[in-house]
Amino acid sequence: MKAAIITIGDELLIGQVVDTNSAWLAEKLTELGFTITTIVTIPDEATAIKAAISSLIDKNGFIITTGGLGPTSDDITKQTLTDLYGGELVLHEESLRNIEHLFSKRGIPVTETNKKQALVPSSCLPLVNRYGTAPGMLFETKDHILVTLPGVPFEMKGIFNDELLPFLNKRLQHQKLSRVTINTFGIPESFLSDKLADFEKELKANDVKIAYLPSPSGIRIRLTSKSKDKLTFFAEELQKRLGEHVFGLNDDTLPKIVSERLRKEKKVLAVAESCTGGYLSHLITKIPGSSDIFNGGIVAYSNEIKHRVLGVPVSIMENHGAVSKETVNAMLDGVFKVYNSDIAVAISGIAGPTGATPGKPLGTTWIGVASKTKRVVKLYTFGNLREINIQRASYTALFEVLKLL
Amino acid sequence: MKAAIITIGDELLIGQVVDTNSAWLAEKLTELGFTITTIVTIPDEATAIKAAISSLIDKNGFIITTGGLGPTSDDITKQTLTDLYGGELVLHEESLRNIEHLFSKRGIPVTETNKKQALVPSSCLPLVNRYGTAPGMLFETKDHILVTLPGVPFEMKGIFNDELLPFLNKRLQHQKLSRVTINTFGIPESFLSDKLADFEKELKANDVKIAYLPSPSGIRIRLTSKSKDKLTFFAEELQKRLGEHVFGLNDDTLPKIVSERLRKEKKVLAVAESCTGGYLSHLITKIPGSSDIFNGGIVAYSNEIKHRVLGVPVSIMENHGAVSKETVNAMLDGVFKVYNSDIAVAISGIAGPTGATPGKPLGTTWIGVASKTKRVVKLYTFGNLREINIQRASYTALFEVLKLL
């Protein structure tokens, strides 16, 4: 089925906010088998909303909008939809209760503006929002479905997954495209495409699409096909070719896989971070339930703290520098002493933009991983961009932990 | 002048790539005084490109497209434009020389496919691309201008700045828009819009536009006007009304402002994080030069570590729980002991999705900030989403540090 995405919001049209909702929705809908024909961004104005919807209705069986439902712009959008689909604004009890619940939890009174958010056109099927105050709405005519969701990403995603996805899965009869993503780490993209040149020819011959999705967390290789069997075959073939560089499939991420392996092996991790400044700990702890595989980390930014908290001998840092194999080794010892964990990670590097010294360019990073019996400490030279260096160092450490386990 | 942005590319319609070009162009064009009426994303297909352009031509005096100029999709776009604007494909010498130069630099021979990229419709003004192989093109009729640029962000931006900006600056007579963003923290959006209802009326009467941009890092309020004086006046008025909730302007962020204040007051910060798991440290350390205002943090995830590393008495955690005012107070003491910093932050909460107990719902979070002489420990109840809770707790802590300083 053909589908269109409409994002509503002046902030997008002045370039203040990058529209990430569209890409998220496009991916979800494509996976459900929709073909996205158009993504359009329009202002918070009744005429623009009407024009966009009516210009897309005849070419698309499914239209989804995000934004234009904040307490401030609410009225325009809902009135417009009521004009288009008929009915009148009525109170949706469940949404009102949800709003009252949200506010009572925060211990603040519900304002009239917020109460009004529980009003929805009688012509729609309300989609309850458990993450914020504005409910989503679903309108259905004999030839199309239109869904409106709020623009705040986590609310939009929450409603989509909780309310819309079950509805669509029930409705959609047509064949879905199958996809598998092979997630790799540690091979540069240029190497990959050379290494896989002939493989890509095979794919083409079998009408299997391949896409490389590079990021500091690794390169994801996505295969898409209408045939599940072909997909399985080529996915396995690809994993054979890339060997240990493949750490997972589909939604697997290094933090997730590392956490699962640690849990399986009943091992607990602790880390000492210098240049990554807490990002590695964050990657692990943002996963629910991390407390049973992670007992903590130390952000040892200054040499003083490396010495006082982790017990790194001052002499080592004086003789070899804070960014050195010797310091990272001592940091690993410190982690074991302080946290008494099964696995230790230590990172010390020059994230930039300043701090480079002769022989130690920006991006110079020592990463050590250790168990009680095994220890690997390696030198990496990343780039000049601070944030990217922080990310690459953290993901590299996770990959090394995985290889150690 | 009204303007529209068209981004061309199948990869955008399956959600494989987030479209950042549109936001960049929208901001540039808005600053030049354009009003963006529409941003639309369409596939690499002649019919779609023609349909999009012709549907936008009558409502917009300026249309800019990105993408659809890669060696593979080149032909479609250029042929489509030749059909629309007449003429025939002719060789653009400067672009050819540029392509040859690029390839010789890389030490590889120019392929026929790439040479073809130097062909442009005779009806256009070519815009030289010094960053890649595909030139931009500018078409002008008596009632509109259409510009096509490649989709690779740094090529698109390069051509825009080198070639298009001078052209537009010469052409544009009309006044430019000025903007100021007032960045707030700690007021819900609904409160803001109620609090500012009358203020918004004043703005409307003075043709000053207001936009609310909420996120876990606070709500940014953007004012836009053609009059710099009005903007200054209302921005100051707004800051008076919102008082201490305003932490900065324009590109200011809480981590940036807190870092600057600490640096100015020659104070050093250290943190103890439980539920935020390193995210607060990351927010501070991802800013270059943070080492002189931040000497580190401890991610004390387990009670054992809270006790062993931070010296939180086991009895306190047994009697009051790890998520309690008493524990956070003891964590603050621990931070001062371990890091000997001027300012200490301690956070302990239930990020979710599990861990709620009677009387302590998901999102329950104790946040403490302290100097050697002053201490504030407060209870917050955030939502049910782990990642959002981690973010809100971290930014709230930064805001409290700012108030403490």
Side-chain angles (χ1 to χ4, degrees):
Chain A
M1 193 195 295
K2 289 187 173 175
I5 300 170
I6 302 175
T7 56
I8 302 168
D10 299 336
E11 70 280 9
L12 299 165
L13 292 166
I14 60 174
Q16 190 163 51
V17 174
V18 172
D19 168 27
T20 54
N21 285 351
S22 297
W24 190 88
L25 283 171
E27 181 165 30
K28 288 283 183 184
L29 294 173
T30 305
E31 272 163 13
L32 285 164
F34 286 101
T35 304
I36 312 297
T37 63
T38 317
I39 300 171
V40 60
T41 305
I42 55 171
D44 266 317
E45 289 161 13
T47 50
I49 298 171
K50 275 186 185 146
I53 292 176
S54 49
S55 76
L56 292 168
I57 272 179
D58 49 353
K59 288 181 230 63
N60 301 277
F62 185 78
I63 297 174
I64 188 161
T65 77
T66 67
L69 294 178
T72 45
S73 49
D74 222 14
D75 316 355
I76 303 166
T77 312
K78 278 186 201 161
Q79 193 47 58
T80 311
L81 292 166
T82 316
D83 298 349
L84 280 169
Y85 292 95
E88 52 182 345
L89 289 180
V90 294
L91 180 72
H92 183 238
E93 291 295 347
E94 190 174 352
S95 291
L96 180 59
R97 279 196 304 278
N98 172 61
I99 292 168
E100 288 166 342
H101 173 70
L102 273 173
F103 277 72
S104 68
K105 253 185 75 171
R106 298 180 196 160
I108 46 184
V110 184
T111 66
E112 279 315 306
T113 323
N114 285 106
K115 280 198 183 133
K116 268 172 51 196
Q117 293 198 278
L119 295 173
V120 299
S122 51
S123 47
C124 85
L125 166 71
L127 307 173
V128 180
N129 179 353
R130 290 175 189 76
Y131 311 91
T133 50
M137 295 167 267
L138 187 148
F139 301 85
E140 183 163 19
T141 71
K142 66 180 199 325
D143 35 44
H144 78 273
I145 292 174
L146 180 133
V147 174
T148 62
L149 300 176
V152 180
F154 70 86
E155 296 184 25
M156 182 277 291
K157 294 173 186 174
I159 302 176
F160 187 97
N161 290 328
D162 300 351
E163 303 277 309
L164 187 57
L165 204 50
F167 176 93
L168 290 176
N169 278 326
K170 233 183 290 147
R171 279 308 177 83
L172 297 170
Q173 304 306 337
H174 54 77
Q175 194 197 358
K176 294 182 187 178
L177 276 177
S178 301
R179 278 162 167 222
V180 61
T181 310
I182 290 89
N183 301 325
T184 72
F185 195 87
I187 330 175
E189 189 177 5
S190 53
F191 274 50
L192 263 181
S193 46
D194 293 349
K195 210 178 158 75
L196 300 180
D198 58 325
F199 182 70
E200 287 195 24
K201 288 203 194 71
E202 274 183 74
L203 292 178
K204 216 179 179 83
N206 284 277
D207 194 26
V208 178
K209 284 199 179 144
I210 184 167
Y212 298 93
L213 310 163
S215 84
S217 61
I219 297 176
R220 298 167 61 215
I221 307 174
R222 177 182 291 153
L223 301 179
T224 311
S225 165
K226 290 204 167 168
S227 150
K228 266 204 160 26
D229 303 345
K230 283 185 184 179
L231 209 56
T232 319
F233 172 80
F234 285 109
E236 278 166 9
E237 177 63 22
L238 187 55
Q239 292 179 71
K240 278 197 217 99
R241 285 171 181 245
L242 300 180
E244 72 163 358
H245 288 290
V246 176
F247 66 79
L249 299 176
N250 302 321
D251 298 336
D252 291 340
T253 63
L254 272 170
K256 176 166 166 276
I257 293 295
V258 168
S259 304
E260 287 170 0
R261 279 291 293 282
L262 287 165
R263 192 167 286 112
K264 197 156 131 285
E265 305 194 5
K266 300 201 170 21
K267 291 207 160 71
V268 173
L269 174 73
V271 307
E273 304 183 66
S274 183
C275 61
T276 50
Y279 188 68
L280 174 57
S281 296
H282 169 60
L283 286 179
I284 298 161
T285 56
K286 83 177 179 195
I287 298 173
S290 46
S291 47
D292 53 330
I293 53 103
F294 183 73
N295 60 8
I298 283 175
V299 180
Y301 225 55
S302 63
N303 288 0
E304 183 205 353
I305 297 305
K306 287 189 187 74
H307 171 62
R308 191 138 48 75
V309 182
L310 290 168
V312 177
V314 175
S315 59
I316 285 186
M317 292 188 280
E318 280 171 351
N319 300 334
H320 306 278
V323 178
S324 66
K325 182 172 194 169
E326 292 76 7
T327 297
V328 164
N329 261 311
M331 287 168 77
L332 287 171
D333 300 333
V335 172
F336 282 127
K337 224 183 302 96
V338 174
Y339 282 109
N340 181 34
S341 60
D342 306 300
I343 308 291
V345 173
I347 304 176
S348 185
I350 305 161
T354 60
T357 58
K360 289 183 184 176
L362 291 186
T364 301
T365 310
W366 283 93
I367 298 177
V369 298
S371 68
K372 293 282 163 66
T373 57
K374 194 162 161 229
R375 181 174 290 213
V376 181
V377 180
K378 284 194 209 157
L379 172 65
Y380 299 84
T381 309
F382 302 122
N384 298 331
L385 294 170
R386 183 180 182 85
E387 276 198 61
I388 304 295
N389 289 342
I390 290 172
Q391 292 171 29
R392 288 180 68 184
S394 301
Y395 282 104
T396 303
L398 288 169
F399 188 60
E400 289 299 314
V401 169
L402 195 60
K403 290 200 284 182
L404 185 81
L405 286 168
Chain B
M1 193 196 293
K2 288 187 173 174
I5 299 170
I6 302 175
T7 55
I8 302 168
D10 298 339
E11 71 280 9
L12 300 164
L13 291 166
I14 62 170
Q16 200 162 67
V17 174
V18 173
D19 169 29
T20 55
N21 285 351
S22 298
W24 190 87
L25 284 170
E27 182 160 31
K28 289 284 181 182
L29 294 172
T30 304
E31 274 160 12
L32 285 164
F34 286 100
T35 305
I36 312 296
T37 62
T38 315
I39 299 171
V40 61
T41 305
I42 55 170
D44 266 317
E45 290 161 12
T47 50
I49 298 171
K50 275 185 185 150
I53 293 176
S54 49
S55 75
L56 293 168
I57 271 178
D58 50 349
K59 288 181 229 62
N60 301 277
F62 185 78
I63 296 174
I64 190 162
T65 78
T66 67
L69 294 178
T72 47
S73 48
D74 222 15
D75 317 354
I76 303 166
T77 311
K78 278 185 200 166
Q79 194 47 59
T80 310
L81 292 166
T82 316
D83 297 350
L84 282 169
Y85 292 95
E88 52 182 346
L89 289 180
V90 294
L91 180 71
H92 183 238
E93 291 295 346
E94 190 175 353
S95 290
L96 180 59
R97 281 196 302 278
N98 172 62
I99 291 169
E100 288 166 342
H101 173 69
L102 273 173
F103 277 73
S104 68
K105 250 179 64 184
R106 297 178 197 159
I108 45 182
V110 184
T111 65
E112 279 316 305
T113 324
N114 288 106
K115 278 196 184 138
K116 269 174 52 197
Q117 294 199 278
L119 294 173
V120 299
S122 51
S123 47
C124 85
L125 167 70
L127 307 174
V128 179
N129 179 353
R130 290 175 190 75
Y131 312 89
T133 51
M137 294 166 268
L138 188 148
F139 301 85
E140 184 163 19
T141 72
K142 65 180 199 323
D143 35 43
H144 79 273
I145 292 173
L146 179 132
V147 174
T148 63
L149 300 176
V152 181
F154 71 87
E155 295 184 26
M156 182 277 290
K157 293 173 186 173
I159 302 175
F160 187 97
N161 290 328
D162 301 350
E163 304 276 312
L164 186 57
L165 204 51
F167 175 92
L168 290 176
N169 278 325
K170 235 183 291 148
R171 278 306 178 83
L172 297 171
Q173 303 309 335
H174 54 77
Q175 201 189 357
K176 295 183 183 175
L177 284 175
S178 305
R179 283 186 280 158
V180 60
T181 308
I182 290 91
N183 301 325
T184 72
F185 195 86
I187 330 174
E189 186 180 4
S190 55
F191 274 44
L192 266 181
S193 49
D194 291 350
K195 206 179 161 79
L196 299 179
D198 58 325
F199 182 70
E200 286 194 26
K201 286 201 194 71
E202 273 183 74
L203 292 179
K204 217 180 180 85
N206 285 274
D207 195 26
V208 178
K209 282 205 179 137
I210 184 167
Y212 298 92
L213 308 157
S215 84
S217 61
I219 296 176
R220 300 164 62 212
I221 307 174
R222 164 158 291 188
L223 300 179
T224 312
S225 166
K226 291 201 166 174
S227 149
K228 267 203 158 30
D229 303 347
K230 282 186 184 177
L231 208 56
T232 318
F233 173 79
F234 284 110
E236 279 166 7
E237 177 62 23
L238 187 54
Q239 291 178 71
K240 278 197 217 98
R241 285 172 181 247
L242 300 179
E244 72 165 357
H245 288 290
V246 177
F247 66 80
L249 299 176
N250 302 321
D251 297 336
D252 291 339
T253 63
L254 271 171
K256 175 167 169 275
I257 293 295
V258 169
S259 304
E260 287 170 1
R261 278 290 294 284
L262 287 165
R263 193 166 286 111
K264 196 157 132 286
E265 305 195 4
K266 301 199 167 23
K267 291 209 161 73
V268 174
L269 172 74
V271 307
E273 305 183 66
S274 182
C275 61
T276 51
Y279 188 70
L280 174 57
S281 295
H282 169 60
L283 286 179
I284 299 161
T285 56
K286 82 176 179 198
I287 298 173
S290 47
S291 46
D292 54 329
I293 53 103
F294 183 72
N295 58 7
I298 283 176
V299 180
Y301 226 56
S302 62
N303 288 1
E304 185 205 351
I305 296 304
K306 288 190 187 74
H307 171 61
R308 191 138 46 76
V309 181
L310 289 170
V312 176
V314 174
S315 59
I316 285 187
M317 292 188 278
E318 279 172 353
N319 300 335
H320 305 279
V323 178
S324 65
K325 182 172 194 169
E326 294 74 8
T327 298
V328 163
N329 260 312
M331 287 168 76
L332 286 170
D333 300 333
V335 172
F336 282 127
K337 224 184 300 104
V338 175
Y339 283 107
N340 182 33
S341 60
D342 306 300
I343 308 291
V345 172
I347 304 176
S348 184
I350 304 161
T354 60
T357 57
K360 290 182 183 177
L362 291 185
T364 300
T365 309
W366 283 94
I367 297 177
V369 299
S371 67
K372 293 281 162 67
T373 57
K374 195 164 162 231
R375 180 174 289 211
V376 182
V377 180
K378 283 194 210 159
L379 172 65
Y380 299 84
T381 310
F382 302 122
N384 298 332
L385 292 170
R386 183 179 182 86
E387 275 198 63
I388 304 298
N389 289 341
I390 290 172
Q391 292 172 31
R392 289 179 69 184
S394 301
Y395 282 103
T396 302
L398 288 169
F399 188 61
E400 289 299 314
V401 169
L402 196 60
K403 289 198 286 182
L404 185 83
L405 287 167

